[in-house]
Amino acid sequence: MSRNSPLALRLNTRAMVKTPHTLLDPMREYGDLVWLSNPNRWLVLSRSAALEVLRDPNLHVWTRRNSVERLQDRFDMDLSAVLKALDWIPFMHDGPRHAALRSAFARLLGSIGTDYLKAYEQTSSELLEVMQESGSGDFAAGYADRLHVEVFGHLAGVPPSERHAFHCATALDGTVQAASTVAKMQKACAQLDSVLERLQDLSKTETTSDFMDQVGAALIQSGLEDTAVSRSEFLLAFLLLGGDTQAGALTVGLAHLLDSNGGTLSLGSDDCQLPDKHCLVDEMIRISTPVQTSARYATKDTVISGQHIAKGDAVQLSLQAANFDPLAFECPHAVQSGRPKNVAFGGGRHLCSAMPLVRKTLAITLSHLETLGSIEALPGRTLAEDLTVRRFAHLPIRIPSRL
Ligand code: HEM
């Protein structure tokens, strides 16, 4: 479809997150890449075009700094905490800043990986035990939403009583993603400020802990300044990037497994028809595709999937559409083994730094769910309001009670 096509396709972002397939599937008939008149940009729908975009050196990431600064001026409000978070998120940058941040995340994740997984395993058991005791629970609010912050709290020495506040403050809605309202952004900013302050206390170089030493080493070895302020901002980005994303994979992934098995799932049983655990992890990630979209702009004229993209054009990838591309994934809604690599973690130079870790955390969750016996879906599911990360805010389930 050319940029001047008389077809004026519009994208309703809220509908895209709510019912992605209803909205995106009909667009495929216009090609791998469609031009949207509102907002003005290319939308990428196929896996092959998505991979081309992710690997194209002429397509750069889209920092949100300018738009946040404009909002700040227009509404005369202080959004400095959001700006600080954006400064530390690698996929808000290209060039030397990106290289330094990518290195810092890779180093930190490499050095804390084993401890992170140990703490995840312990937290997962504890949270599921609580549900097991009562025979039911909310897999979203009572489990998936809490894991990353609980694990972080455990590693960084945040007392359990403070972790809920950390969780509330580091949801992506209103911070990294375009906020749906200014009020939401203002509230998110105030919460981020208080978390930053607390993280600065924890980051003071004189109060040493193994975790904080690893944070400091990751920064220094990546050529970044190691101060209480830089540690706190780096850790804020760490919290923002890992919470909702993992919650999305867990909740949307489990909901899909439940639905495709008639509402009841017995992962450990002999008649369970699902692929082995490693394939199941990949399928949960593909089917959930928590990060719905990713944006780029052309720094030079380029060609994607045979389509000319002019310098300055914006390109939005629907990772969700790419992961349900029927040409790449036969029967895309089915859970199957032997699939090609999906793009839920992005690709190219911005490929998610935590991909290996997340695959292990999901495998831990599946092992724990396997020991619970038969899990049943209960009514009351609701999607979170986020516009970039798709996850359930509530996912009630029944599990066999231990009592
Ligand atoms: C299921 C869970 C996750 C998913 C689906 C996911 C997805 C993604 C995607 C799509 C990108 C690329 C964005 C772009 O190119 O515009 C990305 C980048 C990144 N993610 Fe994840 N992510 C997950 C979990 C995590 C966790 C737990 C962390 C760390 C705490 C993390 C850290 C990062 C970092 C540092 C980058 C930036 C890479 C770069 O720009 O070089 N992610 N992630």
Side-chain angles (χ1 to χ4, degrees):
M1 178 196 230
S2 92
R3 200 181 196 290
N4 301 318
S5 158
L7 263 165
L9 291 178
R10 286 158 172 265
L11 190 69
N12 177 337
T13 311
R14 198 164 290 282
M16 183 172 71
V17 176
K18 220 170 162 194
T19 49
H21 307 297
T22 316
L23 188 86
L24 297 168
D25 285 351
M27 289 187 181
R28 291 188 197 280
E29 71 170 285
Y30 302 110
D32 287 0
L33 213 65
V34 295
W35 176 255
L36 300 173
S37 65
N38 182 14
N40 260 317
R41 64 186 59 163
W42 295 102
L43 179 69
V44 176
L45 297 165
S46 73
R47 174 182 177 272
S48 59
L51 287 172
E52 276 186 63
V53 169
L54 291 165
R55 291 169 182 160
D56 191 325
N58 299 322
L59 294 172
H60 283 201
V61 292
W62 208 350
T63 171
R64 289 198 48 240
R65 193 164 234 291
N66 296 348
S67 50
V68 174
E69 278 171 348
R70 271 200 302 276
L71 267 180
Q72 196 169 234
D73 292 345
R74 186 164 161 218
F75 295 98
D76 191 25
M77 54 185 183
D78 177 14
L79 298 179
S80 51
V82 172
L83 292 170
K84 284 175 195 160
L86 298 182
D87 277 350
W88 286 86
I89 292 180
F91 57 82
M92 293 288 156
H93 306 267
D94 268 309
R97 176 82 182 158
H98 170 245
L101 293 177
R102 185 164 177 84
S103 153
F105 271 99
R107 286 171 194 279
L108 181 65
L109 288 164
S111 61
I112 65 165
T114 309
D115 292 339
Y116 187 101
L117 291 170
K118 242 192 241 164
Y120 185 101
E121 183 137 25
Q122 187 188 324
T123 310
S124 166
S125 298
E126 287 167 5
L127 294 173
L128 289 174
E129 224 173 87
V130 173
M131 285 189 210
Q132 220 179 354
E133 265 160 29
S134 64
S136 65
D138 185 338
F139 187 75
Y143 180 82
D145 277 358
R146 294 185 49 191
L147 280 159
H148 185 60
V149 161
E150 290 291 333
V151 168
F152 173 83
H154 189 90
L155 298 177
V158 179
S161 59
E162 276 184 59
R163 293 180 195 165
H164 182 65
F166 266 66
H167 159 65
C168 295
T170 53
L172 295 172
D173 198 12
T175 54
V176 174
Q177 78 167 45
S180 45
T181 63
V182 171
K184 196 180 256 183
M185 205 159 183
Q186 231 166 348
K187 184 172 164 224
C189 229
Q191 288 179 327
L192 283 188
D193 268 329
S194 66
V195 164
L196 269 172
E197 210 172 291
R198 188 64 187 99
L199 285 172
Q200 259 190 59
D201 284 348
L202 293 164
S203 305
K204 298 247 165 70
T205 38
E206 60 272 20
T207 47
T208 54
S209 68
D210 280 354
F211 178 71
M212 283 302 169
D213 289 347
Q214 286 160 327
V215 172
L219 292 172
I220 292 170
Q221 287 161 8
S222 306
L224 294 158
E225 212 186 10
D226 178 28
T227 62
V229 170
S230 58
R231 284 183 184 192
S232 65
E233 293 173 1
F234 178 40
L235 290 176
L236 180 65
F238 179 92
L239 280 163
L240 286 165
L241 288 168
D244 286 352
T245 46
Q246 290 189 90
L250 288 165
T251 57
V252 180
L254 180 66
H256 188 90
L257 295 182
L258 283 164
D259 295 349
S260 49
N261 282 280
T264 307
L265 191 63
S266 298
L267 283 170
S269 78
D270 290 342
D271 53 357
C272 178
Q273 303 287 312
L274 291 167
D276 71 60
K277 203 181 297 151
H278 293 291
C279 291
L280 202 51
V281 164
D282 286 337
E283 281 293 82
M284 277 176 85
I285 291 168
R286 177 184 69 83
I287 283 167
S288 57
T289 309
V291 179
Q292 295 283 286
T293 70
S294 172
R296 303 287 188 267
Y297 74 96
T299 56
K300 286 186 186 156
D301 284 5
T302 190
V303 175
I304 298 294
S305 196
Q307 174 66 56
H308 175 75
I309 310 287
K311 181 179 173 184
D313 276 359
V315 179
Q316 183 169 351
L317 290 153
S318 169
L319 298 174
Q320 171 80 242
N323 277 345
F324 281 79
D325 175 357
L327 291 180
F329 304 100
E330 201 189 347
C331 303
H333 294 270
V335 178
Q336 282 180 9
S337 50
R339 299 286 203 191
K341 233 173 128 235
N342 70 69
V343 291
F345 290 107
R349 65 192 181 281
H350 290 284
L351 175 73
C352 178
S353 316
M355 182 174 79
L357 181 83
V358 171
R359 289 166 102 183
K360 288 183 187 144
T361 59
L362 256 68
I364 292 174
T365 293
L366 286 176
S367 303
H368 288 177
L369 291 179
E370 200 176 301
T371 62
L372 294 180
S374 166
I375 307 165
E376 198 186 318
L378 293 177
R381 237 180 240 185
T382 51
L383 264 185
E385 282 192 10
D386 303 34
L387 295 182
T388 46
V389 173
R390 188 164 192 267
R391 65 187 170 88
F392 282 106
H394 298 289
L395 182 64
I397 54 169
R398 188 182 342 261
I399 50 182
S401 169
R402 277 198 328 175
L403 298 176

